[in-house]
Amino acid sequence: MQNKSVIFTLSSVACAMILVAGGYFAGRYVVSAQPSVPQVADTASLPSAGQKVLYWHDPMVPQQHFDKSGKSPFMDMPLVPVYAQDNQRPGLAIDPAMQQDLGIRFATVRQTEVQTRLEVIGTTQFDESLAEVIQTRATGYITRLYANAPQQRVHRGDPIASLFVPEWLPAQEEYLALKRGGLDTAILNDSKAKMRALSIPAELITALAKTGKVQNNLLISAPRDGVVRELNVRDGAMVAPGQTLAKVNGLGKLWLVIDIPEALATQVQVGMQVVATPANQPNRTVHGEIQQILPQINGSSRTLQARLIIDNANDEWVPGMLMRVQLTKSAGKLGLLVPSEAIISTGKRTVVIVRNDDGRLQPAHVTLGREVGDDTEVESGLHAGEQVVASGQFLIDSEASLKSVMPRIDGAEAAVNDTPTQGSVSAVGQHPGVDNTARIKTYQSTGVIEQVTPDSITLSHEAVPALQWPAMTMMYKKPASAEFEAFKQGDKVNFSFIADGDGWQLTRMTAVGGPKP
């Protein structure tokens, strides 16, 4: 198609974009600051010399074809010709300068090793394997409590509490009496064994033998560096054998516990690489790999938990920190990736706009795999090295472009035939056994068949007042029914049709003047 210099003004920028995206004006455009009635150069409605015009149409209503030039019945502008040369080349041509003006950006389909990548949340927690409990082995009383509250930091050997055990006193006094009586070593050893049987600690027995004085209080100390996780007693409290006085947890290592949504649970495996970043400190990271997946879904959050141990020798991390976690694992295979923003999903189809070798744009139906960060894996429909549109798809995928210039992506829908009468054909593209007439508006007209193809019938027909259509020549989709094959070019027919959301579909056709022979 020859370039046409077009100067027009629009109150709606969207209308201008659709016209441009449809490929109907290949030249540059100018939008004035003041809205006014669109003005199109008179030459836009004139066919170029030496080119065959297939039909005329309004770029804003491209599915309706006219057999003559003239003024559009829908907008105050001339009809635009569509040439045979352009119709034979697939895709949509947009001037490179205009592509730049409209912000159309391209990306290359690249083949790379596909990784499983998940973005989840995790928290740092105490490593329970570093926890130690402090318990009593006899009935006694707390004479002094050195650790005042939970979460208090302690070092190995720091006092936690002082314990007085009355039942230890008689055994100690017996030992001292035997020692003062000068009895032999065997008898003294038996006395020591009796004290050990009463759970008197070895260090208390040693102090007893060394000082010759009864040890009234047992000093309980921290078994390791860390924090007091639990403190279950107070000054003067009575304690019983086996009772936990305190729990001390080390901080040299922490657990990073990751919450994985139930829907993604099957994608997580032991050994996946982990990169975690504090939610409020994006410049700090911790690296590792999943060491264990817990075998239960959390009933309230519907998440599966996985964990790994992180080093905290320098006290860089503390329990309870919220972390943004990225999990990755190589799939061991090559795959095709495109930017996720290049994908157009309408519910019925998933396409990308591909740039052909000649620079024309054409939609390609694709089958998608998993998301990989900002990219999406494409399982079919593309090849490595192809160029796809990464921005501006809403212009190219407008109703005007996909319905008129570009080929259909979804393909013709199957039609279900009603029982035809002699000399007529009917077909409704809905489910069998369902009365669709109450939901779908049907229109009628009379015309002459101009062309018959395997997928369509072109009719020159009378006006359709219900749609405010003038008399025109228009192409209609032909239902997948052998009965429609009985009609040929030149037949005069009465016909019915419906809008199917992607054009116009014939539903019934009857020969004018009686049934066909």
Side-chain angles (χ1 to χ4, degrees):
M1 183 184 296
Q2 291 182 344
N3 290 348
K4 303 176 178 63
S5 299
V6 181
I7 301 176
F8 60 93
T9 57
L10 293 175
S11 60
S12 171
V13 176
C15 291
M17 289 182 173
I18 292 175
L19 288 173
V20 172
Y24 307 107
F25 302 117
R28 301 298 296 271
Y29 63 93
V30 178
V31 180
S32 71
Q34 299 296 327
S36 61
V37 178
Q39 300 294 328
V40 182
D42 294 340
T43 57
S45 62
L46 299 177
S48 301
Q51 292 186 319
K52 179 183 178 181
V53 177
L54 291 180
Y55 55 87
W56 305 72
H57 72 167
D58 184 334
M60 298 301 294
V61 192
Q63 69 271 20
Q64 298 184 19
H65 300 175
F66 301 85
D67 59 354
K68 297 179 181 179
S69 63
K71 188 176 181 180
S72 168
F74 309 107
M75 295 186 65
D76 187 17
M77 61 182 295
L79 297 175
V80 176
V82 175
Y83 299 100
Q85 290 88 335
D86 290 331
N87 210 50
Q88 292 171 358
R89 299 176 62 191
L92 167 69
I94 301 180
D95 182 80
M98 187 175 295
Q99 292 180 19
Q100 183 176 359
D101 290 343
L102 297 178
I104 296 176
R105 180 168 49 84
F106 297 93
T108 302
V109 180
R110 66 185 191 279
Q111 187 175 48
T112 184
E113 186 177 17
V114 178
Q115 292 183 328
T116 299
R117 182 177 298 176
L118 304 176
E119 302 285 344
V120 291
I121 296 296
T123 54
T124 55
Q125 298 182 13
F126 286 103
D127 183 348
E128 294 292 346
S129 67
L130 301 182
E132 294 195 32
V133 296
I134 301 172
Q135 294 181 322
T136 61
R137 298 182 180 181
T139 301
Y141 302 90
I142 300 296
T143 57
R144 183 177 179 184
L145 195 62
Y146 295 91
N148 298 320
Q151 303 300 322
Q152 179 178 330
R153 282 184 175 265
V154 294
H155 297 284
R156 180 183 177 88
D158 287 350
I160 299 296
S162 178
L163 178 67
F164 172 65
V165 183
E167 66 181 27
W168 289 352
L169 297 180
Q172 293 185 65
E173 291 173 349
E174 179 183 335
Y175 172 80
L176 292 177
L178 293 173
K179 186 176 181 181
R180 284 193 298 268
L183 297 180
D184 58 24
T185 304
I187 296 176
L188 292 177
N189 288 338
D190 289 341
S191 180
K192 288 182 179 180
K194 182 179 178 180
M195 287 191 289
R196 286 193 293 269
L198 291 174
S199 299
I200 300 177
E203 63 269 22
L204 211 62
I205 296 173
T206 301
L208 173 67
K210 184 177 181 180
T211 64
K213 294 181 180 180
V214 173
Q215 303 297 307
N216 294 325
N217 293 285
L218 171 65
L219 188 64
I220 301 173
S221 58
R224 67 184 311 141
D225 294 346
V227 297
V228 179
R229 292 269 313 272
E230 299 177 12
L231 187 61
N232 301 320
V233 293
R234 287 291 180 262
D235 282 330
M238 180 179 178
V239 296
Q243 179 178 343
T244 298
L245 304 183
K247 181 178 180 180
V248 177
N249 211 124
L251 293 174
K253 294 182 179 179
L254 296 178
W255 279 345
L256 175 58
V257 179
I258 303 167
D259 292 316
I260 302 155
E262 185 176 7
L264 303 177
T266 57
Q267 300 184 34
V268 179
Q269 300 175 1
V270 172
M272 292 186 74
Q273 296 299 309
V274 175
V275 178
T277 304
N280 60 344
Q281 302 178 52
N283 295 327
R284 299 174 61 195
T285 58
V286 60
H287 299 261
E289 63 179 40
I290 291 180
Q291 297 167 333
Q292 188 176 12
I293 298 176
L294 305 189
Q296 184 177 2
I297 296 289
N298 185 298
S300 57
S301 63
R302 306 309 304 172
T303 58
L304 180 71
Q305 290 189 327
R307 68 188 179 204
L308 65 149
I309 297 175
I310 59 177
D311 183 71
N312 193 39
N314 297 324
D315 285 340
E316 185 178 3
W317 315 102
V318 295
M321 295 180 69
L322 182 66
M323 309 285 275
R324 302 179 187 275
V325 180
Q326 183 180 89
L327 305 178
T328 58
K329 181 177 178 61
S330 296
K333 65 174 184 178
L334 296 178
L336 299 178
L337 296 180
V338 298
S340 298
E341 61 182 342
I343 297 168
I344 305 170
S345 296
T346 66
K348 294 183 179 180
R349 60 182 179 172
T350 302
V351 299
V352 296
I353 307 300
V354 180
R355 179 162 63 177
N356 296 335
D357 293 338
D358 60 0
R360 299 173 72 89
L361 306 180
Q362 188 171 7
H365 183 275
V366 294
T367 302
L368 302 182
R370 67 189 64 185
E371 291 188 4
V372 183
D374 295 330
D375 298 324
T376 299
E377 181 184 8
V378 176
E379 295 180 347
S380 64
L382 293 176
H383 300 285
E386 287 186 300
Q387 294 282 311
V388 298
V389 177
S391 65
Q393 299 95 317
F394 72 97
L395 300 174
I396 302 167
D397 193 36
S398 64
E399 292 293 326
S401 62
L402 284 183
K403 287 184 179 178
S404 179
V405 178
M406 294 187 179
R408 283 196 60 190
I409 298 170
D410 294 333
E413 298 179 358
V416 180
N417 299 331
D418 294 332
T419 303
T421 59
Q422 185 177 11
S424 69
V425 179
S426 65
V428 179
Q430 302 292 329
H431 295 289
V434 179
D435 182 9
N436 299 294
T437 58
R439 300 193 303 269
I440 302 176
K441 179 66 174 177
T442 302
Y443 305 94
Q444 296 85 29
S445 186
T446 300
V448 176
I449 296 176
E450 299 290 348
Q451 184 181 17
V452 178
T453 70
D455 300 320
S456 65
I457 295 179
T458 302
L459 293 156
S460 294
H461 59 80
E462 299 174 357
V464 184
L467 292 172
Q468 299 182 351
W469 287 2
M472 65 176 71
T473 299
M474 181 170 171
M475 181 176 63
Y476 296 85
K477 299 174 190 175
K478 185 171 65 174
S481 171
E483 302 296 333
F484 277 88
E485 303 301 332
F487 294 93
K488 64 181 184 302
Q489 183 178 2
D491 289 345
K492 186 175 183 180
V493 294
N494 294 319
F495 64 97
S496 301
F497 62 97
I498 60 172
D500 68 352
D502 196 19
W504 301 95
Q505 169 84 48
L506 293 170
T507 59
R508 183 178 298 273
M509 186 175 288
T510 306
V512 175
K516 292 181 64 65

